[in-house]
Amino acid sequence: MSISELLSEYGDMYVQALLGTWWMSLVSFAFAMLLALIITVFRVCPIKPLRVVGDLYVQIFRNIPGVSLLIILVYALPYLKIVMDYRLCVIVTVILVASAFGSENFMSGINTIGVGQIEAARSLGMGFGKMLRLVVIPQALRSAVLPMTNLAVAVLLTTALGSQVPLSPPELTGLVSYINTRTVGGILPFVISALMYAGTAFVIGVIGNAIDKKVRIVR
Amino acid sequence: MTQTQTGEALAAEGTPVIELRHVDKHFGSLHVLKDINLKVGKGEVVVVIGPSGSGKSTLCRTINRLETIDSGEVLIEGKPLPQEGKELAAMRAEIGMVFQSFNLFAHRSIIDNVTMGPVEVLSVPRDKAREEGMELLRRVGVAEQAEKMPAQLSGGQQQRVAIARSLAMHPKAMLFDEPTSALDPEMINEVLDVMVELARGGMTMVVVTHEMGFARRVSDRVVFMADGAIIEEGKPDEFFEHPTTERAREFLDSIKGH
Amino acid sequence: MSATNSTSMRDALYESPGPHTRRRIRFWTAISLVLVAVGIGLIVRRFYVTGQLAPRYWELFARPTTWIFLGKGFLGTIEVSLMAGLIAIVLGFLLMLGRMSSSRVLSGICRVIINFFRGVPSLLLIYFFFLVVPTYGVKMSSFWMITLPVGLAASGVLAEVFRGGMNAVPKGQSEAAYSLGMRKMKVTMKIVFPQAVRYVIPSLISQLVVVVKDTTVAYVVSFPDMLQNARVLITNYDALVSVYFVVAILYILVNYAINHLAVSLARRSGTSIISRTSENPV
């Protein structure tokens, strides 16, 4: 199959697949960040049960294989009378996994600050809120930029789980198997999808590095 | 335990700015502060010395409740140190603290470090805080570095900024927790000079340090601690020339060695 | 991903509470305990009302044959993971050597390859070996159809891990070796790499978690790993929910153990874990 044949037949689907992958990645990443923030608050708060819940959440979702989780959402939850459509299942899977890693990134961001600065803030008469707003959060966010950039790439790659359930239109990985089960597509459909992933990952990396350069804290 | 009369006599006039009464503290099974009694009068410079692990840093940190105490009382201008909340924060705003490791806010410029307290805690207008901050930076000799980030400064410069940051709050008293221990030898004096000037200007100071020269030249009173207890205190000349306790003599001999 | 030693700072954020704060913490601890209990109760209830707690879904776990069968699948998972890990280590090492070579061209090519493997989902690579490669007449067993792509995907990350390890070896070591008259190849292989290994072992182990996770799609190529065998169990016993949940927990425990090992090794040797989401600390 030549590239022109491939594009004339599947060009539209590639555009849709790329947009679909981007959209799933964006939504997943946004919600994962939000959830990661909440989980991190749980994990640092002085209320023990919430800490335990936060830690448990992170251990569960950073260690569960994505497919295993997706299968549970897609095939097991309906038995428990919880039904989501396929795309939502994929997005929820990515959010759950990514938020666990996101929380780990936030935690290590907090860890880079050091007890000394916290004590300095306290000595200046800052209450907990001010200390958080002026000292902890700005620094934790800045040092989380690079890890979060890498997490964004990981989210992009994890959306490939969408190929394991019938999505229509399929996303970039699913499309490769879709094309190959219909025609002998050869290497080309694979290469196009791969380049779209790698290109997107590259752009995410460039953006992340640019942000990091701007906000990085010299220590 | 020899609670000498000199301390009482020195701090006799008026209410002491800082007072510790029968303060006790344990870290687990370790008794780190044993029945500490200390008064620091207005304008007094008290230097706390002693071997490492003697509890002198802990003592210093209990004064603004960076360390809690098990029993006893900490009084600031006669009022008990609040235990939490706005009252504690307000009290801390009135007491400056300088740390061994500087602890400048790594993500803000030097001038921002100095103005953050006044602007955010005391609600001083930004312009006014900046003006005053620059004046303070000039006083400690780092005004040219105002727009730089903390990591771009030498340790000595960072520590002087940390002092300026505390001064910007117009504190009633300043606590120094081994302010020169993390510094390279050639930078120690630039920090001590600033502290000497502060002391001459009438600042009430509690200084935990290993700098015996500073203790001797500047302090009004030397407090010697060992094993969590105040063993001896007195005027610097008397203490260094004629220590009354065996522990103090041993300590002074050991540091004379090098 | 990144290993965090999070106990110190998370406690430092809150100072030791005064009496009022302590009372408030106690209050909210009680409330949250109740909420957590209610949450757990709701989940259990959901299982109960949908009939999923019925013994017929769970009694299969009392049979040794179930565990033997799952154990066989687990052996498959280990086999595939170790082989994929080996492929990743060898290829990652070669890619690192290329990336660090003084030849601009070679270094550039290796960099592109590394970034390609890091920027492409392992699933896509699996489909490549499953769907595309056979069309060119290459016959492959399901074992290689899963190990090769998973290994390739991990090799990009490992190349960067190795590079981080090599850079962590103090410059003085290679300078000393050069001054003894060693050639570059010898310096790299005999002096720098053996020391770099110490730095990267925790990272290698933690990367194994990623590999184990990636191999769970082995059912795509019908390789009998743990998840694939679980699917067989499901059809045999008609017990989907219980089997999928139990298998998920098994994976979590295995990966947790691997992570734990990596972190404790890293802590003991005073190194940090380099991975996809952690930058290389200078």
Side-chain angles (χ1 to χ4, degrees), chain A:
Chain A
M1 202 177 207
S2 76
I3 190 156
S4 56
E5 280 174 317
L6 185 72
L7 286 183
S8 70
E9 200 161 336
Y10 295 109
D12 285 349
M13 290 193 77
Y14 263 113
V15 173
Q16 282 180 324
L18 182 62
L19 291 179
T21 295
W22 281 354
W23 176 240
M24 281 199 289
S25 306
L26 201 68
V27 172
S28 307
F29 186 68
F31 278 97
M33 285 298 97
L34 193 68
L35 200 52
L37 210 65
I38 296 170
I39 297 297
T40 309
V41 170
F42 273 36
R43 293 175 76 194
V44 298
C45 84
I47 298 160
K48 198 77 187 285
L50 294 187
R51 277 188 182 201
V52 172
V53 167
D55 286 347
L56 200 66
Y57 177 94
V58 168
Q59 287 309 333
I60 288 175
F61 290 111
R62 67 174 283 183
N63 286 317
I64 195 170
V67 202
S68 185
L69 180 56
L70 179 66
I71 286 176
I72 286 178
L73 295 190
V74 174
Y75 300 109
L77 288 197
Y79 283 94
L80 302 172
K81 300 270 166 7
I82 301 168
V83 185
M84 296 181 278
D85 79 27
Y86 289 129
R87 196 170 293 269
L88 187 59
C89 284
V90 176
I91 291 175
V92 169
T93 302
V94 179
I95 291 173
L96 290 174
V97 171
S99 59
F101 286 104
S103 172
E104 290 288 72
N105 292 346
F106 281 134
M107 288 296 269
S108 43
I110 292 173
N111 277 324
T112 55
I113 299 169
V115 182
Q117 287 189 51
I118 305 289
E119 289 185 342
R122 252 175 225 152
S123 307
L124 285 178
M126 291 187 200
F128 183 67
K130 277 193 183 125
M131 175 193 86
L132 224 52
R133 180 168 60 84
L134 296 170
V135 178
V136 178
I137 292 176
Q139 297 196 53
L141 286 183
R142 283 161 199 243
S143 51
V145 169
L146 271 192
M148 290 306 185
T149 305
N150 287 324
L151 184 61
V153 174
V155 162
L156 169 76
L157 303 189
T158 312
T159 60
L161 283 174
S163 62
Q164 300 308 298
V165 292
L167 287 187
S168 80
E171 44 63 66
L172 282 175
T173 300
L175 184 56
V176 173
S177 94
Y178 176 89
I179 295 174
N180 270 290
T181 47
R182 267 157 195 77
T183 46
V184 179
I187 198 170
L188 212 50
F190 162 79
V191 169
I192 295 175
S193 276
L195 287 180
M196 283 174 165
Y197 276 117
T200 310
F202 178 76
V203 172
I204 293 174
V206 168
I207 295 172
N209 277 320
I211 297 176
D212 177 63
K213 210 171 234 169
K214 236 184 188 154
V215 303
R216 160 169 277 177
I217 305 164
V218 197
R219 281 181 203 278

Side-chain angles (χ1 to χ4, degrees), chain B residues 65 68 83-84 88 92, chain C residues 15-16 18-21:
Chain B
R65 205 184 176 274
T68 53
Q83 299 221 40
E84 59 201 324
L88 175 61
R92 281 173 172 164
Chain C
E15 52 188 317
S16 20
H20 183 69
T21 319

Side-chain angles (χ1 to χ4, degrees), chain B residues 159-178:
Chain B
Q159 194 61 300
R160 284 183 280 155
V161 173
I163 294 173
R165 175 173 70 177
S166 289
L167 288 176
M169 302 293 286
H170 300 290
K172 285 177 184 152
M174 294 263 291
L175 310 174
F176 292 83
D177 184 6
E178 305 205 19

Side-chain angles (χ1 to χ4, degrees), chain C residues 201-278:
Chain C
I201 281 183
S203 310
L204 291 185
I205 294 174
S206 101
Q207 190 63 27
L208 189 59
V209 171
V210 179
V211 169
V212 169
K213 286 185 188 173
D214 280 354
T215 61
T216 50
V217 286
Y219 65 81
V220 169
V221 300
S222 331
F223 182 84
D225 77 332
M226 187 154 73
L227 191 57
Q228 171 68 7
N229 279 10
R231 290 155 75 102
V232 177
L233 278 183
I234 288 169
T235 41
N236 284 355
Y237 290 98
D238 189 28
L240 184 143
V241 177
S242 57
V243 171
Y244 274 152
F245 270 93
V246 167
V247 167
I249 290 170
L250 290 178
Y251 273 115
I252 291 169
L253 291 178
V254 168
N255 287 335
Y256 176 81
I258 299 173
N259 261 326
H260 195 76
L261 177 69
V263 172
S264 58
L265 275 181
R267 204 165 286 163
R268 198 175 311 158
S269 61
T271 53
S272 58
I273 291 178
I274 312 163
S275 67
R276 157 171 288 291
T277 67
S278 61

